[in-house]
Amino acid sequence: MFRRTRDHRPAIAAGVAVISAGLLLPMLGSPAAIADSTAAAPVPHPVQYVDPLIGTSNGGNTYPGANVPFGMIAWSPTSTAGDQTNTAAANGYSYNTTRLRGFSLTHVNGAGCHPGAAGDVPVMPFAGAVDSSPTADTKDAKYAANFSHANEKAEPGRYRVGLDSGVTTDLAVSERAGVADFTFPKDKPANLLFRVSNSLNGSEDAHVDIDTAHNKVTGWVETGAFCGRRANGGTPNNNRKSYYRLYFTAAFDRGFSGVGTWHDDKLSPGSTSADGGEGYLTGADRAGRGSGGYVSFDTSNDNDVTMRVGISYASLAGAEANLRGEIAPTAGVEDVAKAGKGAWDRALNSVKINGGDESRRTAFYTALYHSLQQPNLISDRDGTYVGMDRKVHELARGQKAQYSNFSGWDQYRAQVQLLALLEPRVAGDFAQSLYNFAQQNDGVWDRWVHISGATHVMTGDPSAATLATFYAMGVRNFHVQGAFDSLYRQATVPHPSGLSDAGCPGQCEGNRPNL
């Protein structure tokens, strides 16, 4: 049984606002203590004060699953309140909804709409016979499971939960890959369901392949539709469109005792390939659509299943290379979790505090933790990524990573300043990433960039303020002159999209409507 060591009821996350938990020691250059000589020593390992469950209720819009700073993969539970098209939360998880339908590979922290974004490829451990299509289970009555928070433990880089079905799930991640241990009850059938089409907003198409010779499951989902219920652009379905494809590869430490796939309401036992998306509708119009696959295991002698998974937005080969490069074939959850915890400890140590009681330290470091979850990697280990033109690109000269998930409206006022102070290299690569996207988007710097898509969400032109802030705070590792020229042109030369009132006033397609 997993018990939380401190009783912290989830509350609204501080998000990008860093809250002092006593006396701050800024670690910028040479540390200068503001505290007097009698103050307590600074916290040596701030990761111990992070509680990822804070912010998962009351509109906090966070998720509790496993991630590392600025990582690509974010492996976290997807909840259900009895409707397979509605997770009862903006970003896939609500603390007050204690029923799960899978553990999805991608998430966005803090998106304030419902559904938010991502939640791609939920993987559900199911202790029972797969004798009907999981997609036909539109109320999540069969292929989902309840759980208790007493059996849940979330910490930076790792997430564990014991389901009422008797299955225990333990997840840990690197930047682009992860490892899971699924422990099944010995007296029940053991299956893993790959719900490839069930992204939070739905999907245009999806595909799954099961390789029984090599104990692998691979596939992809074509999706997007940020805040999919919104009718951006003046027509009902304008914002319900695809703008990225996520590839995944999952490798197992043992063979399968059975396999099968499904499409809509048709189950195909023994099948190893399936296709089909959900669409971008909601409720009954979308329920019962989509595809996926399942693999079964013989747990009579060994009821523990280990799965290693890699993801990529560029290609299946990229997902496999990311997995090989980041997680050793013999690495287990403990090994990967230890590395992830260390990565978070180093990132959080960029600000040291002393004083304050335990609750204030927890509030401070959890807020800082949330602030360092984004931007997110979208480039593979070899430097390739898919741009806003949906073509494969390589990093610009001197660039170390392509980042995305730019919530411009929310970030330009506080988070970008913090990023420049604490992670100037990431800030510069982020600035270069936004410039790269603009070059691939006919010169337009979109306000809310998700993966490789221009979503047009919110209003204003936050990119100009963001890059000016980075530059003013000393960030130089981006193409400064090129970015300035591009932003200047956007501010002074009309663009066809800015001459249209489509989506206005709140979600205008044009970034500077009529300048």
Side-chain angles (χ1 to χ4, degrees):
M1 181 174 289
F2 305 120
R3 296 193 181 277
R4 299 168 68 186
T5 57
R6 299 181 295 276
D7 181 21
H8 295 129
R9 289 176 299 169
I12 294 178
V16 300
V18 178
I19 304 169
S20 173
L23 297 171
L24 277 171
L25 302 179
M27 299 302 289
L28 310 174
S30 299
I34 328 174
D36 60 39
S37 59
T38 62
V43 172
H45 295 292
V47 72
Q48 67 182 302
Y49 290 103
V50 174
D51 184 354
L53 286 166
I54 289 177
T56 58
S57 68
N58 301 325
N61 297 335
T62 66
Y63 62 88
N67 60 31
V68 296
F70 315 115
M72 179 185 292
I73 191 171
W75 209 349
S76 190
T78 294
S79 60
T80 178
D83 177 356
Q84 68 177 215
T85 71
N86 185 351
T87 65
N91 297 299
Y93 177 96
S94 171
Y95 188 84
N96 299 318
T97 303
T98 54
R99 187 168 177 81
L100 301 180
R101 67 186 318 271
F103 299 89
S104 304
L105 301 176
T106 62
H107 286 82
V108 172
N109 176 48
C113 54
H114 179 197
D120 301 315
V121 192
V123 180
M124 180 64 191
F126 176 63
V130 181
D131 52 14
S132 60
S133 167
T135 293
D137 182 25
T138 59
K139 302 299 184 183
D140 285 331
K142 179 175 181 177
Y143 296 107
N146 295 332
F147 74 98
S148 166
H149 291 299
N151 296 326
E152 180 184 42
K153 184 173 183 180
E155 54 191 310
R158 188 174 191 175
Y159 177 85
R160 287 171 277 182
V161 66
L163 302 176
D164 290 358
S165 64
V167 179
T168 297
T169 298
D170 194 354
L171 312 173
V173 300
S174 58
E175 288 185 327
R176 303 171 182 88
V179 61
D181 274 344
F182 301 102
T183 303
F184 291 88
K186 290 186 176 181
D187 59 345
K188 297 180 181 179
N191 304 279
L192 284 176
L193 313 178
F194 287 81
R195 304 180 186 266
V196 291
S197 64
N198 292 154
S199 299
L200 290 183
N201 285 297
S203 57
E204 179 180 339
D205 200 2
H207 180 77
V208 64
D209 284 314
I210 302 171
D211 182 348
T212 57
H214 299 94
N215 308 330
K216 290 174 62 176
V217 179
T218 59
W220 49 261
V221 59
E222 181 84 7
T223 184
F226 188 97
C227 295
R229 297 184 187 182
R230 301 189 179 199
N232 292 3
T235 58
N237 294 318
N238 183 271
N239 201 37
R240 295 172 183 174
K241 58 189 178 185
S242 299
Y243 51 80
Y244 73 92
R245 179 175 288 192
L246 179 79
Y247 298 86
F248 74 92
T249 180
F252 292 86
D253 64 340
R254 56 190 296 184
F256 310 137
S257 61
V259 300
T261 64
W262 68 86
H263 178 244
D264 293 348
D265 61 352
K266 181 182 178 182
L267 182 73
S268 300
S271 169
T272 57
S273 184
D275 296 274
E278 284 188 348
Y280 292 130
L281 303 172
T282 57
D285 292 328
R286 181 174 137 202
R289 301 185 183 188
S291 62
Y294 67 91
V295 291
S296 306
F297 301 92
D298 180 356
T299 58
S300 56
N301 295 317
D302 182 0
N303 63 332
D304 187 67
V305 176
T306 299
M307 182 181 93
R308 297 173 180 84
V309 63
I311 64 172
S312 168
Y313 293 105
S315 66
L316 181 58
E320 293 175 341
N322 290 340
L323 175 57
R324 288 195 306 270
E326 293 188 2
I327 296 183
T330 57
V333 169
E334 291 288 346
D335 303 309
V336 177
K338 181 179 180 181
K341 184 177 181 180
W344 273 115
D345 209 33
R346 290 188 294 273
L348 297 169
N349 250 317
S350 59
V351 180
K352 288 188 178 293
I353 62 172
N354 59 22
D357 60 21
E358 187 170 279
S359 66
R360 295 187 72 199
R361 292 182 176 196
T362 297
F364 178 85
Y365 276 120
T366 302
L368 186 58
Y369 164 81
H370 286 134
S371 299
L372 299 179
Q373 286 186 346
Q374 289 173 211
N376 297 108
L377 274 171
I378 67 163
S379 53
D380 288 343
R381 288 176 59 83
D382 65 358
T384 59
Y385 70 95
V386 173
M388 205 166 277
D389 54 4
R390 297 301 302 269
K391 298 177 181 177
V392 176
H393 296 265
E394 294 184 356
L395 299 176
R397 183 176 181 181
Q399 186 182 8
K400 302 298 183 184
Q402 179 76 8
Y403 292 105
S404 188
N405 295 352
F406 174 58
S407 175
W409 170 283
D410 306 288
Q411 288 173 268
Y412 82 93
R413 292 166 289 188
Q415 198 253 0
V416 300
Q417 291 84 352
L418 186 69
L419 195 65
L421 284 170
L422 304 184
E423 298 282 354
R425 181 197 61 76
V426 173
D429 280 344
F430 192 19
Q432 183 65 45
S433 298
L434 296 176
Y435 176 44
N436 293 344
F437 283 140
Q439 291 179 295
Q440 300 150 7
N441 192 38
D442 197 24
V444 176
W445 297 64
D446 193 68
R447 301 179 295 274
W448 219 127
V449 180
H450 178 231
I451 313 302
S452 51
T455 69
H456 321 309
V457 173
M458 309 304 257
T459 61
D461 185 9
S463 298
T466 294
L467 267 69
T469 296
F470 284 157
Y471 187 84
M473 299 183 72
V475 176
R476 295 291 187 273
N477 57 315
F478 67 99
H479 194 329
V480 174
Q481 188 63 54
F484 175 84
D485 291 344
S486 179
L487 286 164
Y488 183 84
R489 179 176 178 83
Q490 177 168 264
T492 57
V493 178
H495 188 273
S497 64
L499 301 177
S500 167
D501 63 358
C504 293
Q507 311 288 337
C508 298
E509 283 190 349
N511 207 55
R512 282 195 178 239
N514 298 306
L515 295 180

